PDB file of all heavy atoms in Angstrom:
ATOM      1  N   LYS A 128       4.716   7.907  20.777  1.00 98.00           N
ATOM      2  CA  LYS A 128       6.038   7.906  21.399  1.00 98.00           C
ATOM      3  C   LYS A 128       6.822   6.643  21.064  1.00 98.00           C
ATOM      4  O   LYS A 128       8.017   6.682  20.796  1.00 98.00           O
ATOM      5  CB  LYS A 128       5.883   8.021  22.925  1.00 98.00           C
ATOM      6  CG  LYS A 128       7.188   8.004  23.711  1.00 98.00           C
ATOM      7  CD  LYS A 128       7.943   9.318  23.556  1.00 98.00           C
ATOM      8  CE  LYS A 128       9.127   9.394  24.512  1.00 98.00           C
ATOM      9  NZ  LYS A 128       9.849  10.683  24.368  1.00 98.00           N
ATOM     10  N   ARG A 129       6.148   5.488  21.096  1.00 98.00           N
ATOM     11  CA  ARG A 129       6.828   4.232  20.829  1.00 98.00           C
ATOM     12  C   ARG A 129       5.826   3.205  20.311  1.00 98.00           C
ATOM     13  O   ARG A 129       4.603   3.436  20.356  1.00 98.00           O
ATOM     14  CB  ARG A 129       7.528   3.699  22.084  1.00 98.00           C
ATOM     15  CG  ARG A 129       6.588   3.291  23.203  1.00 98.00           C
ATOM     16  CD  ARG A 129       7.335   2.830  24.440  1.00 98.00           C
ATOM     17  NE  ARG A 129       6.424   2.406  25.498  1.00 98.00           N
ATOM     18  CZ  ARG A 129       5.969   1.173  25.651  1.00 98.00           C
ATOM     19  NH1 ARG A 129       6.360   0.200  24.814  1.00 98.00           N
ATOM     20  NH2 ARG A 129       5.145   0.851  26.631  1.00 98.00           N
ATOM     21  N   ALA A 130       6.341   2.090  19.825  1.00 98.00           N
ATOM     22  CA  ALA A 130       5.482   1.045  19.284  1.00 98.00           C
ATOM     23  C   ALA A 130       6.128  -0.306  19.515  1.00 98.00           C
ATOM     24  O   ALA A 130       7.350  -0.422  19.635  1.00 98.00           O
ATOM     25  CB  ALA A 130       5.258   1.267  17.785  1.00 98.00           C
ATOM     26  N   ALA A 131       5.304  -1.343  19.572  1.00 98.00           N
ATOM     27  CA  ALA A 131       5.800  -2.715  19.714  1.00 98.00           C
ATOM     28  C   ALA A 131       4.707  -3.667  19.265  1.00 98.00           C
ATOM     29  O   ALA A 131       3.539  -3.520  19.665  1.00 98.00           O
ATOM     30  CB  ALA A 131       6.188  -3.012  21.163  1.00 98.00           C
ATOM     31  N   GLY A 132       5.070  -4.631  18.440  1.00 98.00           N
ATOM     32  CA  GLY A 132       4.106  -5.626  17.984  1.00 98.00           C
ATOM     33  C   GLY A 132       2.945  -4.995  17.249  1.00 98.00           C
ATOM     34  O   GLY A 132       3.115  -4.292  16.266  1.00 98.00           O
ATOM     35  N   GLY A 133       1.739  -5.195  17.762  1.00 98.00           N
ATOM     36  CA  GLY A 133       0.542  -4.625  17.161  1.00 98.00           C
ATOM     37  C   GLY A 133       0.002  -3.440  17.925  1.00 98.00           C
ATOM     38  O   GLY A 133      -1.170  -3.083  17.775  1.00 98.00           O
ATOM     39  N   ARG A 134       0.857  -2.799  18.736  1.00 98.00           N
ATOM     40  CA  ARG A 134       0.429  -1.667  19.558  1.00 98.00           C
ATOM     41  C   ARG A 134       1.296  -0.439  19.344  1.00 98.00           C
ATOM     42  O   ARG A 134       2.481  -0.555  19.016  1.00 98.00           O
ATOM     43  CB  ARG A 134       0.500  -2.019  21.052  1.00 98.00           C
ATOM     44  CG  ARG A 134      -0.805  -2.537  21.650  1.00 98.00           C
ATOM     45  CD  ARG A 134      -0.992  -3.944  21.423  1.00 98.00           C
ATOM     46  NE  ARG A 134      -2.219  -4.443  22.077  1.00 98.00           N
ATOM     47  CZ  ARG A 134      -2.868  -5.491  21.629  1.00 98.00           C
ATOM     48  NH1 ARG A 134      -2.429  -6.135  20.552  1.00 98.00           N
ATOM     49  NH2 ARG A 134      -3.957  -5.923  22.223  1.00 98.00           N
ATOM     50  N   VAL A 135       0.686   0.730  19.550  1.00 98.00           N
ATOM     51  CA  VAL A 135       1.429   1.988  19.619  1.00 98.00           C
ATOM     52  C   VAL A 135       1.046   2.688  20.912  1.00 98.00           C
ATOM     53  O   VAL A 135      -0.044   2.452  21.466  1.00 98.00           O
ATOM     54  CB  VAL A 135       1.157   2.899  18.400  1.00 98.00           C
ATOM     55  CG1 VAL A 135       1.712   2.283  17.120  1.00 98.00           C
ATOM     56  CG2 VAL A 135      -0.329   3.200  18.247  1.00 98.00           C
ATOM     57  N   TYR A 136       1.931   3.563  21.400  1.00 98.00           N
ATOM     58  CA  TYR A 136       1.745   4.234  22.683  1.00 98.00           C
ATOM     59  C   TYR A 136       1.991   5.723  22.484  1.00 98.00           C
ATOM     60  O   TYR A 136       3.026   6.127  21.936  1.00 98.00           O
ATOM     61  CB  TYR A 136       2.717   3.674  23.727  1.00 98.00           C
ATOM     62  CG  TYR A 136       2.572   2.180  23.915  1.00 98.00           C
ATOM     63  CD1 TYR A 136       3.192   1.286  23.045  1.00 98.00           C
ATOM     64  CD2 TYR A 136       1.794   1.656  24.945  1.00 98.00           C
ATOM     65  CE1 TYR A 136       3.046  -0.090  23.203  1.00 98.00           C
ATOM     66  CE2 TYR A 136       1.648   0.281  25.111  1.00 98.00           C
ATOM     67  CZ  TYR A 136       2.277  -0.582  24.231  1.00 98.00           C
ATOM     68  OH  TYR A 136       2.128  -1.943  24.376  1.00 98.00           O
ATOM     69  N   ASP A 137       1.038   6.555  22.932  1.00 98.00           N
ATOM     70  CA  ASP A 137       1.169   7.990  22.681  1.00 98.00           C
ATOM     71  C   ASP A 137       1.985   8.678  23.772  1.00 98.00           C
ATOM     72  O   ASP A 137       2.461   8.044  24.730  1.00 98.00           O
ATOM     73  CB  ASP A 137      -0.201   8.639  22.473  1.00 98.00           C
ATOM     74  CG  ASP A 137      -1.057   8.686  23.735  1.00 98.00           C
ATOM     75  OD1 ASP A 137      -0.522   8.518  24.855  1.00 98.00           O
ATOM     76  OD2 ASP A 137      -2.282   8.901  23.607  1.00 98.00           O
ATOM     77  N   LEU A 138       2.151   9.986  23.610  1.00 98.00           N
ATOM     78  CA  LEU A 138       2.988  10.760  24.520  1.00 98.00           C
ATOM     79  C   LEU A 138       2.437  10.792  25.946  1.00 98.00           C
ATOM     80  O   LEU A 138       3.177  11.064  26.898  1.00 98.00           O
ATOM     81  CB  LEU A 138       3.145  12.188  23.998  1.00 98.00           C
ATOM     82  CG  LEU A 138       3.944  12.346  22.709  1.00 98.00           C
ATOM     83  CD1 LEU A 138       3.863  13.772  22.209  1.00 98.00           C
ATOM     84  CD2 LEU A 138       5.405  11.955  22.938  1.00 98.00           C
ATOM     85  N   ASP A 139       1.147  10.516  26.095  1.00 97.00           N
ATOM     86  CA  ASP A 139       0.540  10.475  27.424  1.00 97.00           C
ATOM     87  C   ASP A 139       0.543   9.070  28.018  1.00 97.00           C
ATOM     88  O   ASP A 139       0.013   8.859  29.107  1.00 97.00           O
ATOM     89  CB  ASP A 139      -0.897  11.001  27.358  1.00 97.00           C
ATOM     90  CG  ASP A 139      -0.944  12.489  27.057  1.00 97.00           C
ATOM     91  OD1 ASP A 139      -0.562  13.270  27.936  1.00 97.00           O
ATOM     92  OD2 ASP A 139      -1.309  12.845  25.923  1.00 97.00           O
ATOM     93  N   GLY A 140       1.129   8.115  27.291  1.00 97.00           N
ATOM     94  CA  GLY A 140       1.219   6.747  27.793  1.00 97.00           C
ATOM     95  C   GLY A 140       0.022   5.874  27.465  1.00 97.00           C
ATOM     96  O   GLY A 140      -0.052   4.722  27.925  1.00 97.00           O
ATOM     97  N   ASN A 141      -0.932   6.386  26.670  1.00 97.00           N
ATOM     98  CA  ASN A 141      -2.092   5.585  26.287  1.00 97.00           C
ATOM     99  C   ASN A 141      -1.680   4.515  25.282  1.00 97.00           C
ATOM    100  O   ASN A 141      -0.901   4.764  24.368  1.00 97.00           O
ATOM    101  CB  ASN A 141      -3.174   6.464  25.666  1.00 97.00           C
ATOM    102  CG  ASN A 141      -3.703   7.507  26.629  1.00 97.00           C
ATOM    103  OD1 ASN A 141      -4.157   7.179  27.715  1.00 97.00           O
ATOM    104  ND2 ASN A 141      -3.631   8.772  26.230  1.00 97.00           N
ATOM    105  N   GLU A 142      -2.220   3.321  25.439  1.00 98.00           N
ATOM    106  CA  GLU A 142      -1.938   2.202  24.541  1.00 98.00           C
ATOM    107  C   GLU A 142      -3.071   2.059  23.531  1.00 98.00           C
ATOM    108  O   GLU A 142      -4.252   2.134  23.884  1.00 98.00           O
ATOM    109  CB  GLU A 142      -1.804   0.909  25.344  1.00 98.00           C
ATOM    110  CG  GLU A 142      -1.601  -0.339  24.491  1.00 98.00           C
ATOM    111  CD  GLU A 142      -1.575  -1.614  25.315  1.00 98.00           C
ATOM    112  OE1 GLU A 142      -0.784  -1.684  26.284  1.00 98.00           O
ATOM    113  OE2 GLU A 142      -2.359  -2.529  24.999  1.00 98.00           O
ATOM    114  N   TYR A 143      -2.703   1.837  22.261  1.00 98.00           N
ATOM    115  CA  TYR A 143      -3.687   1.660  21.191  1.00 98.00           C
ATOM    116  C   TYR A 143      -3.399   0.366  20.435  1.00 98.00           C
ATOM    117  O   TYR A 143      -2.244   0.041  20.155  1.00 98.00           O
ATOM    118  CB  TYR A 143      -3.624   2.812  20.184  1.00 98.00           C
ATOM    119  CG  TYR A 143      -3.857   4.184  20.753  1.00 98.00           C
ATOM    120  CD1 TYR A 143      -2.822   4.885  21.379  1.00 98.00           C
ATOM    121  CD2 TYR A 143      -5.102   4.802  20.650  1.00 98.00           C
ATOM    122  CE1 TYR A 143      -3.016   6.155  21.888  1.00 98.00           C
ATOM    123  CE2 TYR A 143      -5.311   6.082  21.153  1.00 98.00           C
ATOM    124  CZ  TYR A 143      -4.265   6.759  21.776  1.00 98.00           C
ATOM    125  OH  TYR A 143      -4.465   8.012  22.270  1.00 98.00           O
ATOM    126  N   LEU A 144      -4.463  -0.336  20.096  1.00 98.00           N
ATOM    127  CA  LEU A 144      -4.358  -1.454  19.171  1.00 98.00           C
ATOM    128  C   LEU A 144      -4.275  -0.855  17.767  1.00 98.00           C
ATOM    129  O   LEU A 144      -5.159  -0.099  17.353  1.00 98.00           O
ATOM    130  CB  LEU A 144      -5.587  -2.354  19.311  1.00 98.00           C
ATOM    131  CG  LEU A 144      -5.699  -3.563  18.391  1.00 98.00           C
ATOM    132  CD1 LEU A 144      -4.483  -4.466  18.492  1.00 98.00           C
ATOM    133  CD2 LEU A 144      -6.976  -4.339  18.712  1.00 98.00           C
ATOM    134  N   ASP A 145      -3.219  -1.162  17.046  1.00 98.00           N
ATOM    135  CA  ASP A 145      -2.909  -0.490  15.783  1.00 98.00           C
ATOM    136  C   ASP A 145      -3.291  -1.365  14.589  1.00 98.00           C
ATOM    137  O   ASP A 145      -2.749  -2.461  14.420  1.00 98.00           O
ATOM    138  CB  ASP A 145      -1.410  -0.168  15.741  1.00 98.00           C
ATOM    139  CG  ASP A 145      -1.003   0.597  14.493  1.00 98.00           C
ATOM    140  OD1 ASP A 145      -1.891   1.104  13.789  1.00 98.00           O
ATOM    141  OD2 ASP A 145       0.213   0.672  14.228  1.00 98.00           O
ATOM    142  N   PHE A 146      -4.214  -0.862  13.770  1.00 98.00           N
ATOM    143  CA  PHE A 146      -4.536  -1.525  12.519  1.00 98.00           C
ATOM    144  C   PHE A 146      -4.156  -0.661  11.310  1.00 98.00           C
ATOM    145  O   PHE A 146      -4.621  -0.911  10.208  1.00 98.00           O
ATOM    146  CB  PHE A 146      -6.016  -1.896  12.461  1.00 98.00           C
ATOM    147  CG  PHE A 146      -6.373  -3.072  13.318  1.00 98.00           C
ATOM    148  CD1 PHE A 146      -7.125  -2.908  14.472  1.00 98.00           C
ATOM    149  CD2 PHE A 146      -5.934  -4.353  12.989  1.00 98.00           C
ATOM    150  CE1 PHE A 146      -7.450  -3.995  15.274  1.00 98.00           C
ATOM    151  CE2 PHE A 146      -6.247  -5.443  13.784  1.00 98.00           C
ATOM    152  CZ  PHE A 146      -7.007  -5.265  14.933  1.00 98.00           C
ATOM    153  N   TRP A 147      -3.325   0.322  11.561  1.00 97.00           N
ATOM    154  CA  TRP A 147      -2.785   1.130  10.461  1.00 97.00           C
ATOM    155  C   TRP A 147      -1.398   0.622  10.086  1.00 97.00           C
ATOM    156  O   TRP A 147      -1.015   0.600   8.926  1.00 97.00           O
ATOM    157  CB  TRP A 147      -2.747   2.604  10.867  1.00 97.00           C
ATOM    158  CG  TRP A 147      -2.360   3.548   9.784  1.00 97.00           C
ATOM    159  CD1 TRP A 147      -1.372   4.489   9.840  1.00 97.00           C
ATOM    160  CD2 TRP A 147      -2.941   3.692   8.480  1.00 97.00           C
ATOM    161  NE1 TRP A 147      -1.306   5.208   8.671  1.00 97.00           N
ATOM    162  CE2 TRP A 147      -2.267   4.729   7.815  1.00 97.00           C
ATOM    163  CE3 TRP A 147      -3.977   3.033   7.815  1.00 97.00           C
ATOM    164  CZ2 TRP A 147      -2.577   5.124   6.517  1.00 97.00           C
ATOM    165  CZ3 TRP A 147      -4.292   3.424   6.523  1.00 97.00           C
ATOM    166  CH2 TRP A 147      -3.597   4.453   5.892  1.00 97.00           C
ATOM    167  N   MET A 148      -0.638   0.215  11.060  1.00 97.00           N
ATOM    168  CA  MET A 148       0.645  -0.471  10.900  1.00 97.00           C
ATOM    169  C   MET A 148       1.561   0.222   9.889  1.00 97.00           C
ATOM    170  O   MET A 148       2.032  -0.367   8.921  1.00 97.00           O
ATOM    171  CB  MET A 148       0.429  -1.930  10.501  1.00 97.00           C
ATOM    172  CG  MET A 148      -0.349  -2.751  11.507  1.00 97.00           C
ATOM    173  SD  MET A 148       0.303  -2.679  13.199  1.00 97.00           S
ATOM    174  CE  MET A 148       1.896  -3.458  13.002  1.00 97.00           C
TER     175      MET A 148
END
Side-chain angles (χ1 to χ4, degrees):
K128 179 74 171 181
R129 66 183 181 90
R134 266 83 177 153
V135 293
Y136 303 82
D137 69 17
L138 292 172
D139 292 290
N141 298 304
E142 176 184 307
Y143 301 82
L144 178 56
D145 183 14
F146 285 109
W147 186 233
M148 299 308 295

